[in-house]
Amino acid sequence: MKKLILTASALLAGAGTSPLVSALDWSLEAGIEGRRFLESGAYSGQVDDQWSLTLQPEVVWDAESGNGRFTFVPFYRKDFADNERTHGDIREAMFMTWNGPWELRAGIGKVFWGVTESLHLVDVINQTDYVEAIDGDQKLGQPMIQGIWLSDVGTWEAFVLPGFRERTFPGEAGRYRTELLVSDDAEYQADEEQQHVDLAARWSYVSELNGYPLDLTASVFRGTSRDPLLVPQVEVVNSVLTPTELVPYYAMQNQIGSTIQFAPEGWLLKAELLYRDYQIDTLPGVIEVKDQTAAVGGFEYTLVGPFGDAADLGLLAEYQYDSRGADYSDAQNDLFLGTRYVFNDMASSEILAGITQDLDYTGTRLFLLEANTRLNPSMTIDATITLVTAEEESLASIFRRDDTFEVALNFFF
Amino acid sequence: MKLITTLVTGLALVAPFAIADDGGRGLEIAKERKARDTGWGDSQAEMTMILRNSQGETSERKMRLKNFEIQDDGDKGLTIFDEPKDVSGTAFLSFSHNTKPDDQWLYLPALKRVKRISSRNKSGPFMGSEFAYEDMGSFEPEKYEFTYLRDEPCAQDMTCHVVESDPVDKFSGYTRQISWIDTEHMRAVKTEYYDRKNTLLKTLELSEWKLYKDKFWRAHKLDMQNHQNGKSTTIITHSIEFDTGLSESDFSQASLKRAR
């Protein structure tokens, strides 16, 4: 990170008074990514190789007083195969200020809620940047005003969310897509459409049970669902009703969520619980919109130095449940088993491998292996293998030919 | 015969306590060491951590440490990493406790996620270094049972109390630590760490001491040598400032998310 001293007073005051200097920091992350799909696509037009470049600068201005900041993080990906994956986003453009137990943030930003590894159920503030990563880990910047108050009975957060972000979807050449392409023209239940102001709040508390840490959160959200319902459009072609595309429909919802994490000795026991009440029962085309009761829970156990060297081995198991069943969710009755091997070497090398097995469709499972290491102080490499096996009736079958080997080089300036 | 066996077993059980009975001298030294380092308030430091493998290759991490003294419990600490650049913004928050395991969290800036470190993982390496997470907490006498061993000459013509500290926490990576505490200023200038098999694992040497606020000594160079894998880590402190205006609310999961 380069540090540019902004104020003349800082220069005049000389060294030694550094804490109260306003300064501009900037950094830049650039990446090149290659994907090789191991089978040809299930749908026409899909590519077998996909190359792309990414750029993510970050500019941070810290206030002289030491309790204010502005952060600006734009992001851009150029994908040479899929036009829909070529996209830009403002990940962050956030003013923040804090004073004692209070903090106020305003602008565009990202908030993460959750404790589990295989599924992020209660995390609702940001829209998924789906073309970036199918696991939902990459998010679009969300306009928000956020207030935080630290009290003796926990941390309280309130959110006002003006401006809705639509989920990104792959184009015709892209992989991990539905057979019918998703339309760019979304429909909304809210009359204000993208201008509807959503509200959210969250309480988090660090407690104790039998002398071991117990972390609790409870959250509420009222507004436009981040998860679109994809409604097929039909046209009469040669006197036959033919589906043409999928239109994303963003319904209104209320949700309550909770996370629980208990840490006795070497264990992390985790659960996320969600109840989501959609404000609509059916969609045109007679699609039933079901309210959702969902849970994910399990454990993480770390063996420190099990092989006599510095490396740690983490063992993970989580169960996923969704009341709406297999027609609505691919995390409805699934078991995730994973292992994380942390080398604790100078290059910060790590390997994460996991398998998610569907218990309703025993022929449906997802295998994921992620490995990363640092090549030199300003360069890292990630390698990812994704393998999908799916029964034809299961939702995951749209990905059945999307087995992938992916390598990304990341450069830091 | 039965009686003799019982008697011998009984003796064997009593024996460790008999050795530990130093008339409370070890605990007295530990309490004095803690007392001499009480009242410093808060501090901010800039550091470089140099990792060295057995082939002599090195890798540097740059970090900043914020510390806040808590009177009736262990201290609070926040470590923010600046380099390597791919981990820039990663932050580590620890609440040391004197009678229960420390609370520790890691903040991952790319995901905006705070992850709790389970208490057993404390014996694992801190950011790939030869320091364990548990070495990063504050010194709290309640965490150990002490045995005074002897006084002897130590580094730089000083005289040191040699004290054994046995961690109370069963998930500590150590069976015991032997510390050399200089008799004049009560500073731990060297510590040997013995692993769970009671063989020498690491030696920490602290040097380049500077006095702050006319009362508090801080070592500006920490050398941790691992004797079992040949690796070592040096932490160099470039600057420390005291009374920087930090408050307890700067050490929370919420403040961890804005740490930089």
Side-chain angles (χ1 to χ4, degrees), chain B residues 21-248:
Chain B
D21 185 14
D22 61 353
R25 182 95 176 95
L27 180 61
E28 198 179 294
I29 291 166
K31 283 184 169 167
E32 178 61 19
R33 176 186 164 192
K34 181 70 185 175
R36 295 269 191 112
D37 200 40
T38 296
W40 50 268
D42 67 87
S43 68
Q44 297 197 35
E46 289 186 17
M47 300 179 171
T48 300
M49 187 160 83
I50 304 157
L51 315 185
R52 223 172 276 104
N53 69 13
S54 53
Q55 287 86 49
E57 294 166 325
T58 60
S59 171
E60 281 190 12
R61 279 119 178 78
K62 292 214 164 86
M63 57 201 197
R64 285 163 294 131
L65 246 76
K66 300 179 183 186
N67 283 300
F68 191 83
E69 187 177 12
I70 304 290
Q71 291 298 345
D72 304 323
D73 199 357
D75 300 330
K76 297 189 174 182
L78 180 60
T79 308
I80 304 152
F81 284 84
D82 293 326
E83 288 182 21
K85 286 163 188 157
D86 58 285
V87 297
S88 173
T90 301
F92 170 67
L93 176 68
S94 77
F95 294 177
S96 297
H97 299 298
N98 43 27
T99 54
K100 59 174 186 177
D102 297 351
D103 284 308
Q104 298 180 325
W105 297 269
L106 205 59
Y107 174 63
L108 307 167
L111 301 173
K112 305 279 182 207
R113 181 169 181 184
V114 175
K115 280 200 80 176
R116 180 183 277 281
I117 297 166
S118 75
S119 58
R120 191 173 195 163
N121 291 9
K122 62 194 286 177
S123 62
F126 176 70
M127 298 301 275
S129 76
E130 297 314 305
F131 287 83
Y133 279 101
E134 65 180 304
D135 304 335
M136 306 305 290
S138 63
F139 173 70
E140 305 302 331
E142 293 84 351
K143 288 182 167 177
Y144 305 95
E145 284 169 13
F146 298 95
T147 311
Y148 168 76
L149 300 176
R150 60 189 178 271
D151 278 9
E152 68 180 27
C154 52
Q156 291 155 9
D157 300 326
M158 295 185 289
T159 303
C160 281
H161 302 305
V162 185
V163 176
E164 177 175 329
S165 326
D166 300 347
V168 175
D169 185 346
K170 62 179 173 175
F171 291 111
S172 170
Y174 314 121
T175 45
R176 60 192 175 107
Q177 302 170 10
I178 309 282
S179 299
W180 280 257
I181 296 156
D182 85 279
T183 52
E184 192 184 351
H185 300 299
M186 303 302 281
R187 307 169 301 192
V189 297
K190 180 176 141 180
T191 298
E192 291 177 348
Y193 298 87
Y194 289 81
D195 67 12
R196 278 277 155 207
K197 296 179 198 113
N198 204 13
T199 48
L200 180 60
L201 175 64
K202 305 187 290 195
T203 302
L204 172 67
E205 290 186 52
L206 302 94
S207 57
E208 297 179 17
W209 292 90
K210 284 184 189 160
L211 186 63
Y212 291 90
K213 293 172 83 173
D214 291 331
K215 197 174 170 201
F216 306 109
W217 289 94
R218 291 290 179 272
H220 283 237
K221 189 160 181 266
L222 278 64
D223 287 294
M224 183 73 94
Q225 174 71 49
N226 187 315
H227 302 289
Q228 296 185 1
N229 62 20
K231 295 196 269 187
S232 65
T233 299
T234 300
I235 297 179
I236 293 168
T237 301
H238 305 293
S239 67
I240 307 185
E241 291 179 47
F242 285 83
D243 302 319
T244 58
L246 291 170
S247 67
E248 197 170 348

Side-chain angles (χ1 to χ4, degrees), chain A residues 270-347:
Chain A
K270 311 165 175 193
E272 294 190 16
L273 309 168
L274 172 72
Y275 176 70
R276 182 177 287 177
D277 175 20
Y278 284 99
Q279 303 300 296
I280 192 167
D281 295 327
T282 51
L283 284 179
V286 203
I287 297 170
E288 188 189 355
V289 182
K290 288 183 179 176
D291 292 340
Q292 179 185 12
T293 304
V296 54
F299 69 82
E300 181 168 350
Y301 185 82
T302 306
L303 299 158
V304 176
F307 306 110
D309 55 12
D312 295 336
L313 184 69
L315 304 172
L316 301 134
E318 288 176 3
Y319 173 73
Q320 308 168 344
Y321 167 78
D322 192 314
S323 63
R324 297 171 302 169
D327 292 342
Y328 285 78
S329 169
D330 58 2
Q332 84 294 350
N333 179 22
D334 290 59
L335 183 66
F336 166 80
L337 297 172
T339 172
R340 183 188 283 118
Y341 191 83
V342 181
F343 288 78
N344 284 314
D345 57 349
M346 295 199 302

Side-chain angles (χ1 to χ4, degrees), chain A residues 3 82 167 174 203 239 246 288 306-307 319 330 367 395:
Chain A
K3 199 160 243 179
D82 182 1
R167 185 169 294 185
W203 166 80
S239 316
L246 298 171
E288 188 189 355
F307 306 110
Y319 173 73
D330 58 2
F367 172 81
L395 281 180

Side-chain angles (χ1 to χ4, degrees), chain A residues 343-358:
Chain A
F343 288 78
N344 284 314
D345 57 349
M346 295 199 302
S348 308
S349 311
E350 264 189 61
I351 299 174
L352 175 72
I355 186 161
T356 307
Q357 172 66 51
D358 194 309

Side-chain angles (χ1 to χ4, degrees), chain A residues 80-102:
Chain A
F80 296 98
D82 182 1
N83 287 336
E84 292 290 323
R85 198 164 179 250
T86 294
H87 70 302
D89 182 41
I90 295 174
R91 296 293 201 228
E92 266 183 79
M94 185 70 93
F95 289 98
M96 57 182 93
T97 179
W98 55 90
N99 192 352
W102 290 94

Side-chain angles (χ1 to χ4, degrees), chain A residues 192-203:
Chain A
E192 305 89 338
E193 301 200 330
Q194 279 185 284
Q195 274 68 53
H196 186 270
V197 178
D198 301 338
L199 300 172
R202 183 176 183 244
W203 166 80

Side-chain angles (χ1 to χ4, degrees), chain A residues 63-270:
Chain A
E64 202 166 335
S65 61
N67 57 6
R69 184 181 301 149
F70 177 69
T71 311
F72 181 60
V73 186
F75 168 83
Y76 185 75
R77 180 183 293 276
K78 170 68 188 170
D79 190 295
F80 296 98
D82 182 1
N83 287 336
E84 292 290 323
R85 198 164 179 250
T86 294
H87 70 302
D89 182 41
I90 295 174
R91 296 293 201 228
E92 266 183 79
M94 185 70 93
F95 289 98
M96 57 182 93
T97 179
W98 55 90
N99 192 352
W102 290 94
E103 182 172 336
L104 186 69
R105 298 176 175 219
I108 295 169
K110 175 174 153 180
V111 167
F112 177 78
W113 292 351
V115 290
T116 54
E117 303 299 321
S118 64
L119 189 64
H120 303 315
L121 268 184
V122 304
D123 186 38
V124 71
I125 299 292
N126 290 79
Q127 178 60 273
T128 297
D129 194 353
Y130 179 80
V131 295
E132 280 299 304
I134 54 166
D135 62 9
D137 270 352
Q138 299 297 320
K139 299 289 181 182
L140 296 168
Q142 169 67 45
M144 66 175 82
I145 299 166
Q146 179 187 7
I148 305 172
W149 179 51
L150 309 179
S151 79
D152 291 339
V153 290
T155 300
W156 302 86
E157 294 170 85
F159 298 83
V160 177
L161 307 164
F164 181 81
R165 303 298 310 277
E166 291 174 2
R167 185 169 294 185
T168 57
F169 289 100
E172 189 175 9
R175 303 294 288 251
Y176 310 118
R177 71 164 168 89
T178 45
E179 181 171 13
L180 292 176
L181 290 176
V182 178
S183 166
D184 286 333
D185 298 316
E187 290 180 8
Y188 292 85
Q189 185 178 6
D191 294 336
E192 305 89 338
E193 301 200 330
Q194 279 185 284
Q195 274 68 53
H196 186 270
V197 178
D198 301 338
L199 300 172
R202 183 176 183 244
W203 166 80
S204 47
Y205 187 59
V206 178
S207 180
E208 227 174 69
L209 186 66
N210 291 333
Y212 297 112
L214 177 67
D215 302 325
L216 301 171
T217 75
S219 54
V220 291
F221 172 89
R222 180 184 178 83
T224 300
S225 176
R226 272 55 183 151
D227 293 327
L229 301 149
L230 299 176
V231 184
Q233 302 296 298
V234 286
E235 271 176 25
V236 179
V237 179
N238 301 329
S239 316
V240 182
L241 271 180
T242 310
T244 52
E245 62 175 3
L246 298 171
V247 171
Y249 182 87
Y250 292 99
M252 298 295 292
Q253 63 162 66
N254 295 328
Q255 81 168 49
I256 54 173
S258 178
T259 71
I260 303 159
Q261 180 169 260
F262 183 49
E265 301 182 341
W267 298 84
L268 285 177
L269 305 175
K270 311 165 175 193

